[in-house]
Amino acid sequence: FDNVAGGETTVSFEGSPDVAYPADLGSRCEAWDDGTHPTSCLKGQDPGKGHGWCAKKWCYVDPCQCSIDVLPQMSNYVERARYRGKPLFFSYATCGDRDDYTLHVPQVGSPGCRCIGFDNMPGKIEVVLAGGKKAMYPAEIGGQCKAWDKASHPDCEGDNPPAWCKANWCYVDPCSCDLSGIVPKISSYLPNSTFTGKSLYYSYETCNSPDT
């Protein structure tokens, strides 16, 4: 809701009293936190009023209708609020600014061919390499664009590893992956795993890396 007269939206912050934001918080591109965020965006704080992410514009968006390179992030400002049954998501990118507020923004592929899988999954998982060899990879393998082989594949050890060790890739859904004629490939790492009934497919191209 834009330009709501009067009223306020109460936002809770850890280690600080509740803060009153405008009632139409997030309804348009605006530096909503500048001079309002109680622990970072007041004068003399870090980054402080008028500086860093405090001065960046953002708004709430529908994550299912947001076709931009940088995916929206889930908001923790009004945790109980819902839009079409989903939590609220925000975006700096849709307002033309960079997200310096989020500590880590995972790279999840190009629009039209997003990564699939579980991100931030703790633990390890055993994968099958060429020749039947096995190795332990992070359990969240393939969930975002990352050089997954760099620290896990035995061929990537030593001072002069192959170029593909440093290349980013992720798992993708081949049926919803449109990369101008570039087709994802079947992965052999987890031969018994499936996604929507199909084998797992991977792509370097959606992560802007060459498939060497």
Side-chain angles (χ1 to χ4, degrees):
F1 297 101
D2 201 10
N3 299 317
V4 177
E8 60 186 32
T9 297
T10 301
V11 180
S12 299
F13 294 90
E14 184 176 354
S16 173
D18 291 349
V19 175
Y21 275 69
D24 56 352
L25 172 67
S27 61
R28 60 187 176 277
C29 290
E30 189 170 307
W32 296 99
D33 296 296
D34 205 25
T36 304
H37 192 289
T39 62
S40 300
C41 297
L42 303 180
K43 187 177 181 180
Q45 294 179 335
D46 183 24
K49 180 175 172 58
H51 300 283
W53 60 264
C54 295
K56 298 291 182 68
K57 297 178 180 179
W58 62 270
C59 70
Y60 290 130
V61 297
D62 181 353
C64 297
Q65 302 293 329
C66 203
S67 298
I68 55 178
D69 288 338
V70 182
L71 285 183
Q73 300 292 307
M74 188 182 299
S75 174
N76 60 1
Y77 275 15
V78 190
E79 294 182 345
R80 294 185 178 181
R82 293 290 184 271
Y83 175 75
R84 294 185 176 179
K86 299 183 293 291
L88 299 182
F89 284 72
F90 68 91
S91 173
Y92 287 90
T94 199
C95 295
D97 272 330
R98 188 178 69 178
D99 184 358
D100 293 329
Y101 169 74
T102 307
L103 293 179
H104 172 61
V105 180
Q107 301 302 310
V108 289
S110 304
C113 190
R114 297 296 191 187
C115 302
I116 60 173
F118 298 101
D119 198 17
N120 298 318
M121 177 77 71
K124 297 283 186 177
I125 190 170
E126 186 177 73
V127 306
V128 180
L129 306 177
K133 296 181 180 179
K134 296 180 179 180
M136 300 305 293
Y137 274 64
E140 59 178 355
I141 179 175
Q144 61 175 285
C145 290
K146 191 174 181 179
W148 295 102
D149 299 297
K150 184 177 181 181
S152 300
H153 199 293
D155 290 350
C156 295
E157 299 175 355
D159 296 329
N160 296 298
W164 55 264
C165 292
K166 299 179 181 179
N168 296 326
W169 62 270
C170 71
Y171 289 128
V172 298
D173 181 355
C175 296
S176 61
C177 195
D178 183 8
L179 288 175
S180 301
I182 298 174
V183 180
K185 297 179 180 178
I186 295 178
S187 173
S188 62
Y189 279 9
L190 301 169
N192 296 322
S193 298
T194 61
F195 177 75
T196 63
K198 300 181 293 294
S199 299
L200 295 183
Y201 285 71
Y202 68 91
S203 173
Y204 285 92
E205 290 81 6
T206 195
C207 297
N208 297 312
S209 287
D211 184 355
T212 58

